[in-house]
Amino acid sequence: MAAADALSPVLITTPRQGHVDVIADAASLRRLVDQIDTHLPVAVDAERAQSYRYSSKAYLIQLRQEGIGTFLLDPVALAGPDQLADLSPLSDALRDCEWVLHAASQDLPCLVEVGMVPRHLFDTELAGRLLGLDRVSLSPMLTTYLGIELAKTHSADDWSRRPLPQSWLTYAALDVDYLLDLRQATVTELAQAGKTGWAEQEFDYVLSRFVTDLSDPTDRWRATKGIGRLRRPRDLAVAQKLWEVRDDLAREIDIAPRLILTDNNLVGAAATFGHMKPAAVHDSIASQPGFTGRLARRQRGRWVSAVDSALEDDASHWPNRPAARNTTPPRLWGRTNPAAAGRWALARAAVIEMAEAHNLPVENLATVATLSEVMWPDDGDFSESGLREAFARAHARPWQIELIAPAIGKALAGK
């Protein structure tokens, strides 16, 4: 690993090129497209406002390529009648370039939304994880490899604000200013560690999840935090209707859903209303946590109507709890499936040992969810070949399977 982390980092407060242009009109965008070198890597980043807005769209996009420097794109100024910018011409110019992002999974969806679709990816955060770094945020990695520290002050600000202050634009430019240098440093170390192929498989997997497979699940309401506390279909029906009202309101006024009603209050209300008769909801909603603010009061009829429709619906239309998939934490398996608990203990120990031997975070070798999926079924094939097939079905990458299937197979065979 680079020795830069042994030195006091140099604080960087301004972009290397000084002033950074903001692309805010079609003519400027065309000029940028004409400058792109189609063979060089390009650093890409995006700023969103999910803590403030319903939309997860990009409110600023940063690009840097050697030879042309850093540019900031304003998708708000470039937006069409549908309120989205069309940056597909820029994406086309970059189609053969390697796109360098840090924590790519966070930004890829909002980039794809405006037509920026990479074909080749390098994720510096993922590279850091594969190299066994304790801290993989951008600034610590820049300190480790380049001996610099970024002035980071605006990561949690509302990027939908206009005009954007100059200090924010400076912050945004710094996010890509040294990203290509960091890529080169991690490329070298991945090669030295024999992990280049692993990284390529991980980058392809990220592309497949966040670019290729962009299906919109119809049961997004089931991702509500705490929804597992609701056991009865009636309560789940109420939760679904409350979620739909909250989502519609959030979209209409472009505000983060949690600022309208928190997940905890939504689930609590569903548990309460699920035990009521429809006629009682109207009188009780005013005292329910989360429904006492001005917006909630103004929309009270909408909430009540939604809950009433759920309670009055035919029970056959109520949603059921998700079936089949085991969600019990492995630490509790001993109560319900002692055999699976025994397999889990041996498999987890084997994975931890393998991760330590290869200087990897355990979760980047085999997540708890993946290992649980393979170890739970009593009728599973736990031979090495059976494990290889099971981990492949669970979307483990070939490099992971090559390390853990033999190790777990051996551990289970010797139990």
Side-chain angles (χ1 to χ4, degrees):
M1 183 177 298
D5 53 351
L7 306 174
S8 298
V10 176
L11 180 63
I12 305 296
T13 59
T14 58
R16 285 187 280 191
Q17 71 190 56
H19 176 74
V20 177
D21 289 332
V22 178
I23 307 298
D25 59 77
S28 299
L29 180 60
R30 285 194 296 271
R31 286 194 294 271
L32 172 59
V33 169
D34 290 341
Q35 295 180 65
I36 295 294
D37 187 319
T38 59
H39 302 290
L40 292 180
V42 58
V44 185
D45 191 36
E47 304 296 343
R48 291 159 290 127
Q50 284 181 283
S51 296
Y52 302 89
R53 299 292 180 179
Y54 173 82
S55 171
S56 60
K57 69 181 181 183
Y59 286 96
L60 192 72
I61 296 172
Q62 306 98 289
L63 295 176
R64 180 175 179 81
Q65 189 178 55
E66 294 302 326
I68 65 172
T70 300
F71 291 86
L72 306 177
L73 285 78
D74 184 352
V76 176
L78 294 167
D82 61 356
Q83 304 302 310
L84 286 175
D86 178 12
L87 301 180
S88 55
L90 176 60
S91 183
D92 291 342
L94 296 168
R95 61 183 291 133
D96 293 326
C97 298
E98 179 184 76
W99 293 32
V100 183
L101 288 87
H102 192 82
S105 62
Q106 297 179 21
D107 290 335
L108 284 175
C110 71
L111 292 171
V112 171
E113 187 179 44
V114 292
M116 293 190 64
V117 183
R119 293 191 173 195
H120 312 286
L121 176 70
F122 190 99
D123 187 331
T124 48
E125 185 204 43
L126 255 178
R129 293 183 183 279
L130 293 177
L131 291 169
L133 298 186
D134 293 329
R135 301 172 67 199
V136 293
S137 295
L138 179 58
S139 194
M141 284 189 65
L142 290 174
T143 298
T144 296
Y145 287 102
L146 305 180
I148 62 175
E149 179 182 354
L150 298 184
K152 305 283 284 182
T153 54
H154 299 292
S155 59
D157 287 328
D158 181 5
W159 287 88
S160 66
R161 170 182 170 181
R162 289 299 182 274
L164 290 170
Q166 184 57 49
S167 61
W168 294 22
L169 298 175
T170 296
Y171 160 88
L174 288 174
D175 269 349
V176 293
D177 213 16
Y178 293 88
L179 199 53
L180 296 174
D181 305 72
L182 180 60
R183 168 203 173 272
Q184 188 54 51
T186 54
V187 162
T188 299
E189 191 159 336
L190 285 167
Q192 292 172 347
K195 296 179 178 180
T196 300
W198 300 1
E200 291 171 350
Q201 291 178 34
E202 290 299 300
F203 302 157
D204 287 345
Y205 178 67
V206 170
L207 285 176
S208 71
R209 284 193 61 197
F210 297 99
V211 175
T212 306
D213 182 11
L214 293 174
S215 55
D216 186 19
T218 57
D219 283 349
R220 288 189 297 139
W221 66 274
R222 290 190 181 273
T224 305
K225 188 176 181 180
I227 199 77
R229 302 201 306 266
L230 303 179
R231 304 285 178 174
R232 304 186 310 159
R234 181 183 176 96
D235 299 344
L236 289 169
V238 173
Q240 181 179 4
K241 290 297 184 180
L242 290 174
W243 185 95
E244 289 171 353
V245 171
R246 183 183 71 169
D247 195 64
D248 287 343
L249 283 172
R251 182 184 298 105
E252 289 166 13
I253 59 179
D254 195 15
I255 191 174
R258 66 175 181 80
L259 297 179
I260 296 175
L261 184 68
T262 67
D263 282 1
N264 186 56
N265 285 338
L266 188 155
V267 172
T272 299
F273 297 148
H275 288 83
M276 293 183 178
K277 294 181 178 180
V281 174
H282 181 275
D283 294 332
S284 65
I285 194 170
S287 60
Q288 184 67 26
F291 293 86
T292 56
R294 185 174 61 181
L295 176 60
R297 291 197 305 272
R298 218 167 43 229
Q299 300 293 334
R300 187 168 295 161
R302 199 164 169 179
W303 296 108
V304 171
S305 177
V307 174
D308 285 350
S309 70
L311 298 177
E312 294 169 349
D313 199 2
D314 189 286
S316 64
H317 297 158
W318 290 339
N320 291 314
R321 297 188 70 208
R325 194 168 72 90
N326 171 53
T327 58
T328 306
R331 69 177 183 277
L332 303 179
W333 287 6
R335 303 176 185 176
T336 55
N337 192 340
R343 290 192 295 272
W344 165 265
L346 292 170
R348 181 68 171 171
V351 169
I352 291 173
E353 182 179 356
M354 189 62 64
E356 291 174 349
H358 291 275
N359 191 29
L360 290 166
V362 175
E363 289 301 291
N364 284 93
L365 184 54
T367 65
V368 169
T370 297
L371 197 59
S372 299
E373 182 178 336
V374 175
M375 291 299 108
W376 175 259
D378 284 334
D379 59 352
D381 179 357
F382 299 107
S383 65
E384 181 180 330
S385 61
L387 289 167
R388 287 179 181 275
E389 293 177 3
F391 279 114
R393 289 194 299 271
H395 306 293
R397 271 68 77 203
W399 74 269
Q400 296 170 325
I401 296 172
E402 195 60 37
L403 291 178
I404 60 178
I408 294 174
K410 181 178 179 181
L412 295 181
K415 65 181 180 179

